[in-house]
Amino acid sequence: MTEKTTSRVTPDEATVRNALEKVTKHIIPFLLLMYVIAFVDRTNLGWAQQEWKMNYGISTAAYTFGATLFFVGYAVFEVPSNLIMHKVGARWWMTRIMITWGIVAACFMFVQGPKSFYALRFLLGVAEAGFFPGVMLYLTYWYPAARRAWATGLFYMGLPIANIFGNPLSGSLLELDGLLGMDGIHWMFLAEGALAVVVGIICPWVLVDRPNKAAWLTEEEQRDLTLQIEIEEAAKQKAKPISWGRALADPRILYFCLIYFCIQASVYGLTFFLPKQVTSMTGTSAGFKASLVTAIPWVVALVGVLIIPKIADRKQNHGLLSGLMLAFSGVGIMGSALFLHQPVPALALLSVAAVGFTCAQPIFWQLPTRYLSGAALAGATGLVNAVGNLGGWAAPLLRTWATQNAFGTVENPNEAAGLVVLGLAGIIGVLLVLGLKLFKKSDEEREALSLQSGAES
């Protein structure tokens, strides 16, 4: 325990509450902005798909393969990136991540064919590796367990916000086609990549590594919030410290990887193809009007993520609620397959799916963070996110395989089959969450949950 926190045995509840209000005000909006930009930069290629196909020979199969290469680069560098952040701090490491991914994202304006597309998608994954698990780790430095699902839910608002505002932004930039002799997709990639670079430059002046370095907290707030976090960290370490190597080999961590794989398969299997799906359902072309329609499921998801993670914190039943949300995801995606040419019911079911996989994620992340700490938590969150995000690699490939090879042809793809395959990922995820009951709690987890429950009561 640090010298600053030894003068008080237990933190003052009101002081911690006041400190957390300030933390939420100062840190969450910027993390949210970063996530919005990250998600826009990794998914905006959906708006370029048709033009690349017509002008640069990037077929549907090539597009699908290239889209998934992001997750290969991302997965390879996740764990080392997160361990580095744990060593050097979030302030400068997040700055590095944002600037490099912004530069790579802008370079998509130079895509001339499949090879350049493949190379840039892989490099984008390498550049962005560590961002998301880094934020999950960073939140454990600031929020006690009793408030963390709610705080993580606020961060996850970036997913629907990115699709609510990112899609219209991308659609609007496409309509700059011809300005200064540049294509609309070139303007889209340049502007959205440059935005990441600008925010990265600002990052060192906004993010703070730990509560005891936050000038906007009083000395009492720094002390008591730090003490509250230290009490929980001590609870995780009390039974037996867990090394990051041991955490990576823990069967339950590997099991968490499978659950997160199913969640991400639902997210990206739908997101990469939603613009195309909406234009097909509504008979509109890619642009601003179509982007407004694609925003509808995400508006509903935004409302859900503001409410459901908070309920999870209050009920302290994160496993059950994450499973329920995955069920929403699976049923919503599979149900939409029945209404491919009926926009209203299809969008209603896709909205159910968006609520499901958006809310499942912040609730899910509370399961591993409950009993891991330090380098073990850094390594484990990196691994879970790395393997889980391979769901974003597998889902588009599975969807294309189902639509064109298993239940259809290249000339006559069966889009309903692709949606059913994606929906099954959510259902499998539900079964895996239920299977967590088979794992016996470790000594570390029992001790951590006992002390955290005492602190929360």
Side-chain angles (χ1 to χ4, degrees):
M1 191 175 292
T2 65
E3 184 178 324
K4 186 176 282 189
T5 61
T6 54
S7 60
R8 187 190 292 273
V9 177
T10 58
D12 178 70
E13 184 179 337
T15 303
V16 171
R17 186 167 56 248
N18 290 337
L20 289 175
E21 289 178 0
K22 292 182 180 179
V23 170
T24 302
K25 176 182 176 182
H26 282 83
I27 289 179
I28 293 296
F30 193 74
L31 293 176
L32 186 60
L33 175 63
M34 293 169 72
Y35 187 29
V36 169
I37 296 170
F39 203 83
V40 168
D41 281 340
R42 69 169 71 167
T43 60
N44 58 7
L45 72 163
W47 294 102
Q49 181 183 1
Q50 292 301 318
E51 184 163 337
W52 279 341
K53 185 175 182 178
M54 290 187 296
N55 298 331
Y56 300 112
I58 299 177
S59 66
T60 299
Y63 168 80
T64 302
F65 177 70
T68 62
L69 281 177
F70 168 89
F71 299 99
V72 177
Y74 198 74
V76 170
F77 291 92
E78 280 280 76
V79 173
S81 179
N82 226 34
L83 290 171
I84 292 171
M85 197 199 87
H86 180 65
K87 289 279 189 182
V88 307
R91 183 184 178 203
W92 290 107
W93 195 241
M94 287 296 181
T95 297
R96 193 283 305 164
I97 289 174
M98 288 213 70
I99 291 175
T100 54
W101 106 45
I103 292 171
V104 175
C107 285
F108 274 82
M109 64 185 292
F110 300 116
V111 165
Q112 294 294 311
K115 290 182 180 178
S116 56
F117 175 47
Y118 297 160
L120 285 170
R121 281 299 287 181
F122 179 80
L123 287 175
L124 186 64
V126 172
E128 196 184 315
F131 168 69
F132 189 87
V135 173
M136 295 299 101
L137 178 65
Y138 186 60
L139 291 176
T140 68
Y141 300 160
W142 292 88
Y143 285 91
R147 296 288 298 278
R148 203 175 296 140
W150 171 76
T152 309
L154 294 180
F155 171 70
Y156 261 103
M157 287 168 55
L159 175 58
I161 288 175
N163 285 282
I164 292 169
F165 296 105
N167 283 327
L169 172 63
S170 296
S172 297
L173 290 170
L174 289 176
E175 297 187 3
L176 295 178
D177 190 62
L179 181 64
L180 300 181
M182 288 171 55
D183 293 342
I185 60 171
H186 295 161
W187 281 111
M188 178 184 70
F189 289 124
L190 176 62
E192 292 174 352
L195 183 59
V197 174
V198 170
V199 173
I201 293 170
I202 297 170
C203 191
W205 284 271
V206 179
L207 291 188
V208 182
D209 286 335
R210 300 273 184 165
N212 59 5
K213 296 181 180 180
W216 33 265
L217 293 177
T218 66
E219 288 189 11
E220 291 78 12
E221 290 166 344
Q222 289 181 5
R223 177 193 62 210
D224 284 21
L225 180 56
T226 298
L227 180 55
Q228 178 67 56
I229 300 298
E230 286 181 348
I231 288 172
E232 296 189 1
E233 293 299 294
K236 298 174 185 178
Q237 294 283 340
K238 187 173 181 181
K240 189 197 310 185
I242 307 176
S243 68
W244 70 267
R246 181 184 163 203
L248 297 185
D250 187 317
R252 185 158 29 173
I253 295 300
L254 300 178
Y255 195 81
F256 287 144
C257 291
L258 294 177
I259 297 173
Y260 201 57
F261 181 97
C262 292
I263 296 174
Q264 294 304 294
S266 298
V267 174
Y268 288 104
L270 185 65
T271 303
F272 281 144
F273 292 90
L274 188 59
K276 180 181 176 182
Q277 191 168 331
V278 166
T279 55
S280 176
M281 286 190 306
T282 60
T284 59
S285 59
F288 183 69
K289 290 182 180 179
S291 69
L292 293 178
V293 179
T294 64
I296 293 173
W298 305 111
V299 173
V300 180
L302 180 61
V303 176
V305 82
L306 283 170
I307 299 170
I308 296 172
K310 192 171 185 178
I311 295 173
D313 270 344
R314 187 165 64 244
K315 299 293 185 182
Q316 287 298 300
N317 200 338
H318 298 95
L320 178 62
L321 274 174
S322 62
L324 179 62
M325 292 299 101
L326 277 171
F328 278 20
S329 174
V331 171
I333 293 175
M334 285 194 292
S336 68
L338 301 174
F339 302 99
L340 285 178
H341 303 292
Q342 300 176 55
V344 173
L347 283 171
L349 286 161
L350 290 175
S351 297
V352 171
V355 169
F357 59 62
T358 301
C359 294
Q361 296 177 82
I363 300 171
F364 161 82
W365 277 109
Q366 308 322 304
L367 302 177
T369 60
R370 278 285 190 168
Y371 69 100
L372 294 172
S373 63
L377 180 58
T381 53
L383 181 67
V384 171
N385 198 60
V387 177
N389 268 282
L390 289 175
W393 164 79
L397 295 175
L398 285 172
R399 178 171 177 160
T400 300
W401 170 80
T403 58
Q404 296 186 356
N405 299 309
F407 302 100
T409 64
V410 175
E411 294 77 16
N412 295 292
N414 188 330
E415 297 295 341
L419 289 169
V420 170
V421 168
L422 293 181
L424 286 173
I427 302 304
I428 294 170
V430 174
L431 298 176
L432 290 173
V433 169
L434 294 175
L436 285 170
K437 298 289 186 181
L438 301 176
F439 286 89
K440 183 180 178 181
K441 286 185 173 63
S442 64
D443 291 340
E444 293 88 352
E445 187 173 12
R446 282 196 298 270
E447 186 70 26
L449 292 175
S450 174
L451 276 176
Q452 288 169 14
S453 296
E456 293 158 11
S457 60

